[in-house]
Amino acid sequence: MTASPLPLLDQLLARRPRMPVTLALIIVNVLVFCAMLLFGAGLWHSSNGIQFAWGANFGPATKDGQWWRLATAMFLHFGILHLGMNMLSLLDGGRLVERMFGSLRFVFIYFVSGLTGNLLSLIVQGDRAVSGGASGAIFGVYGALLAYLWQQRHTVERREFLRLFWGALIFAGITIVLGLNITGIDNGAHIGGFIAGVLSGGALVQPLDNSGVLGRYRQVGASIGQWLCGMALVLLVLTLIVAIPAPRYRWSEEVMARDEISAFIGADKQISRRWSALLDDAQRRGASFDELAGRLEQEVVQPYEDSFEDLSALQLSPSAPSAGTLAALREYAEARRDASRALVEGLRAHDAEAVRDALEAASRGGARPPAPGPRRSP
């Protein structure tokens, strides 16, 4: 009579009683969340701007050279519920998968799945969403669990196999279906992480029992499967890297535009005050037209000329959040430059009508620059 196999969990506990990597990952995620709370993140929800500042995945920035965001995004969560659900899932899956594969292989599965999920997210999300969370890596953990159980199906008691295998499969399936129907869920990271987890798990799994002729036969089949899964994983990652679309705009250019816009608005306030002060002073002192023209040219016309040239020199995609504001400010700077220049020419020509027209043009151009429009994330 053949003895029934020991329960899988008992075998795993006997081989590896501890799960240090799973616990360490949970601790790191919790500590990062607590640190973000100290610097302004919300307990229930954090804005995209805060998530971005801490390293969330965002296409225009990630694809503009900040590739480290693919990794840092794995440790960011948008609220306590997001963190709690992910950490419970990581604990539930990690306690099995780390013992199945060992700590070093578990680290590989976790990070390869998370990075692959974030690569697919860059393709699926476009350049509109700021994304973060450990869920892509966690889906990879469950994918590796399925790969392990399938490879070990002949050595695991049938009811235990069905319970674990279908439990993991239903969890992954329901979560992905929900992601397809609920906005705000990064299903690209989930699906990419899950597929990478299945393939990396299939490449790294080791049979529990190699004894006997049947065990050696299964080992040969497992080795072939491992090579196929490994090659498929490499092909998947390379395909995703090649398929990453060019960014709709570059984040470095957007940041430069925002800095230039802020600098111009600050400078414009000073120039406008100086313009008014020069006119008032000239009227009070009875300064000559030529004297006033010289001071206006130096302290008003030239600064507006420089500002217009600086704004015009900026290269910014029409899709960038600040593109509309930048275009409006260019028109404003040009109008103020032309009006102040016409005023100087009218003063030097002692043409009262030209002076009046220039002042009216300056008034039509607006006493203030257009306010920056609402910016898309982050």
Side-chain angles (χ1 to χ4, degrees), residues 255-265 307 310-311 314 326:
V255 170
M256 187 179 300
R258 292 186 182 186
D259 291 342
E260 192 65 38
I261 288 170
S262 297
F264 172 79
I265 291 175
S307 295
D310 290 341
L311 292 172
L314 289 175
L326 182 61

Side-chain angles (χ1 to χ4, degrees), residues 1 213 239 244 271 286 324:
M1 183 176 180
V213 175
T239 300
I244 294 175
I271 299 171

Side-chain angles (χ1 to χ4, degrees), residues 12 16 18-25 93-107 141:
L12 295 174
R16 298 184 179 91
R18 296 181 177 84
M19 47 177 194
V21 174
T22 299
L23 295 177
L25 288 170
R95 68 186 178 89
L96 295 172
V97 176
E98 184 173 356
R99 291 181 171 115
M100 289 172 173
F101 290 88
S103 296
L104 290 178
R105 295 185 180 198
F106 178 72
V107 168
V141 170

Side-chain angles (χ1 to χ4, degrees), residues 12 19 28 51 102 115 126 189 279 283 339 364 366:
L12 295 174
M19 47 177 194
V28 170
Q51 294 292 326
L115 293 171
L279 293 177
Q283 186 176 16
R364 288 195 302 270

